[in-house]
Amino acid sequence: MVLTDGATGFAKPATIEELRNLTVSINRENANISLGNKALDVLAKLVDTPEQTAVRTISELADTLGVNPSTLTRLSQKLGFAGFSDFQSVFRQAFSADDRYFYSRQAGRLLSTKEDSEEELHIFDRLGLETKNNIDGFLTQLDPKSLLEAAGLLANARRVRVHGVRQFHAFASFLTYGLGMLRSDVSLLDAPRLGVAEALAQLEKGDVVVVASCAPYTRSVANVAEVAAKLGLAVIAVTDTRASPLVGPSQHAFFIPHTSSFFSNSMGAYIVFCEGLLNLVAHEMGDRAMTGLASREALIRSMNVEV
């Protein structure tokens, strides 16, 4: 449901999900309004952390986001709201009615600490809590329809290529390994080390390219997504926010938080998402997945290699 603001005539979003969808549409240039990169980034962060947007003051949010409070007011009005309070009411109403946000309402995703714990154990306690919060963060954003369609593409496309660099090379390798257990013709995009341009040129319309990156984004990964989309390939993006440069070229995008005390981007929630997606692909493939797994096991036994 959307509500029309009498002053602007803009059909303003009435739910968090509508705000999230609008953010993606703006990034893909499919909306009837446009935002600058900074405003889009602010909006994406607001909708990606709804528990904070609901409970913090405009000054607190502005300070966290590194902008002036007036920026949040102007953004709200651009989206069709009377002001920031009107915009924030969407989040507050959702939290009062949606059971998915029960724990967020209770704790606001604040990390608890154990004062009597050893420092060595505290490091693991904190990382575990942070990863749980990141997992909770992506669970509240999953779109069942998009998940099923993405799983269908990964299960049925003729070829699947996966691309990620630096930390996301590990993610890409894990996803490639898992898909390769279920079906054939799955590989890292640049597995032959011939270059991503050559690898993309070998693909055809209907093939799938999965790209993964989070802030600070790797420009080359965003370029792969853009080129793949222009070639008519189906692009699936695994990233962090709706302002990510991977969202625009993608057919399906999934948003995984990575906030943590780890000295780099935390990958824990990304791996959990990957495992869930692989299970969904196996379910979509049905008997074909069982056949693929059985064939792999038989090959391993014939080579006398331990599983």
Side-chain angles (χ1 to χ4, degrees):
M1 180 180 76
V2 292
L3 304 176
T4 301
D5 182 87
T8 65
F10 181 78
K12 64 181 182 181
T15 67
I16 294 176
E17 196 56 39
E18 288 177 5
L19 276 167
R20 286 172 169 166
N21 291 338
L22 176 61
T23 306
V24 171
S25 295
I26 293 172
N27 195 337
R28 290 174 173 164
E29 299 182 351
N30 292 332
N32 57 356
I33 62 170
S34 61
L35 296 175
N37 290 338
K38 181 63 177 178
L40 178 61
D41 183 59
V42 168
L43 176 59
K45 289 176 179 176
L46 290 171
V47 301
D48 287 343
T49 56
E51 69 290 336
Q52 300 293 349
T53 305
V55 301
R56 290 189 172 184
T57 66
I58 186 172
S59 297
E60 290 172 337
L61 286 168
D63 184 61
T64 299
L65 296 168
V67 298
N68 293 322
S70 59
T71 299
L72 298 183
T73 299
R74 289 194 298 271
L75 173 62
S76 301
Q77 292 171 341
K78 188 74 178 288
L79 297 174
F81 296 91
F84 183 75
S85 294
D86 189 21
F87 171 82
Q88 191 177 44
S89 67
V90 173
F91 295 83
R92 291 180 170 173
Q93 290 171 8
F95 272 59
S96 66
D98 195 332
D99 289 340
R100 291 181 301 169
Y101 297 113
F102 173 77
Y103 292 109
S104 296
R105 292 199 306 268
Q106 295 298 104
R109 299 197 189 284
L110 296 177
L111 296 173
S112 63
T113 60
K114 298 181 180 179
E115 295 181 357
D116 59 345
S117 67
E118 296 291 339
E119 177 63 22
E120 294 82 359
L121 297 180
H122 170 62
I123 289 174
F124 288 87
D125 287 338
R126 178 163 183 165
L127 283 170
L129 285 169
E130 290 165 339
T131 297
K132 178 183 181 299
N133 288 340
N134 289 334
I135 293 170
D136 289 343
F138 84 68
L139 287 175
T140 62
Q141 301 184 59
L142 289 178
D143 177 3
K145 182 175 181 293
S146 188
L147 274 172
L148 288 173
E149 291 177 356
L153 287 171
L154 294 173
N156 301 311
R158 180 182 176 188
R159 288 172 288 203
V160 176
R161 299 293 181 263
V162 188
H163 186 57
V165 300
R166 296 201 287 270
Q167 280 178 273
F168 280 93
H169 179 75
F171 172 86
S173 296
F174 183 62
L175 179 58
T176 299
Y177 174 78
L179 284 173
M181 294 176 68
L182 303 173
R183 50 156 296 164
S184 61
D185 213 342
V186 179
S187 68
L188 294 172
L189 182 64
D190 191 24
R193 297 300 180 192
L194 299 176
V196 295
E198 290 79 1
L200 285 171
Q202 295 174 10
L203 302 179
E204 299 175 353
K205 187 174 182 180
D207 292 340
V208 174
V209 175
V210 181
V211 290
S213 183
C214 71
Y217 307 102
T218 303
R219 183 66 249 178
S220 62
V221 177
N223 289 341
V224 164
E226 292 168 1
V227 172
K230 290 178 181 177
L231 292 174
L233 308 177
V235 177
I236 298 174
V238 182
T239 187
D240 51 354
T241 79
R242 288 163 176 79
S244 166
L246 274 60
V247 173
S250 69
Q251 186 170 332
H252 298 285
F254 302 100
F255 308 102
I256 318 297
H258 54 87
T259 302
S260 103
S261 54
F262 180 49
F263 58 79
S264 187
N265 294 319
S266 176
M267 299 299 294
Y270 282 89
I271 297 302
V272 172
F273 171 78
C274 184
E275 291 179 351
L277 183 60
L278 287 169
N279 276 354
L280 201 57
V281 172
H283 185 270
E284 172 71 19
M285 292 180 64
D287 290 341
R288 288 185 294 142
M290 296 299 296
T291 300
L293 290 169
S295 298
R296 178 180 179 276
E297 290 174 350
L299 179 60
I300 290 174
R301 285 195 299 269
S302 70
M303 298 177 64
N304 295 318
V305 178
E306 293 184 1
V307 177

